[in-house]
Amino acid sequence: MAGDTATITVTDATFDAEVLKSEKPVLVDFWATWCGPCRQVAPILEEIAGEHGDKLTIAKLDVDNNQATAAAYNVISIPTLNVYQGGQLVKTITGARPKAALLRELADFI
């Protein structure tokens, strides 16, 4: 599966259908191409998506191209990782974290 991505990309247009109406919890990575810490956390999120994708969907939302959604959830600093379940925001993780710390934060969902 080299080159395949385990995460999905969401936009302002698809956020409602892909995230809020998802059967599974969805972690949304609010990121931008110019954000160094975002680039650090991206491969970790890919690993988590590959290992736990059956229980948790991991989506990426580029804040530069999707400002409405970022503004709606008051995303000020990136990376911000928001977990949505049943259409509600249930957890916010701000900043890049090592994989072990992220797995601890996500233990309720995976």
Side-chain angles (χ1 to χ4, degrees):
M1 284 193 35
D4 282 354
T5 175
T7 59
I8 63 169
T9 299
V10 295
T11 64
D12 285 345
T14 64
F15 189 84
D16 186 60
E18 300 262 11
V19 177
L20 300 182
K21 293 193 168 91
S22 173
E23 299 280 316
K24 293 188 287 190
V26 182
L27 181 152
V28 179
D29 173 20
F30 290 86
W31 73 286
T33 52
W34 47 263
C35 164
C38 298
R39 287 197 298 275
Q40 290 174 331
V41 82
I44 297 169
L45 292 175
E46 288 289 344
E47 284 180 29
I48 294 172
E51 293 161 9
H52 301 284
D54 55 330
K55 298 185 202 80
L56 175 74
T57 299
I58 298 187
K60 298 177 71 69
L61 184 132
D62 183 331
V63 296
D64 287 338
N65 298 326
N66 301 281
Q67 294 175 356
T69 302
Y73 290 98
N74 296 316
V75 173
I76 298 160
S77 64
I78 54 173
T80 290
L81 310 176
N82 278 352
V83 180
Y84 298 86
Q85 192 167 24
Q88 300 295 314
L89 174 60
V90 293
K91 187 168 194 82
T92 298
I93 305 163
T94 307
R97 309 265 176 99
K99 185 176 178 184
L102 281 176
L103 288 173
R104 277 195 302 276
E105 294 269 10
L106 297 171
D108 292 347
F109 309 103
I110 55 179

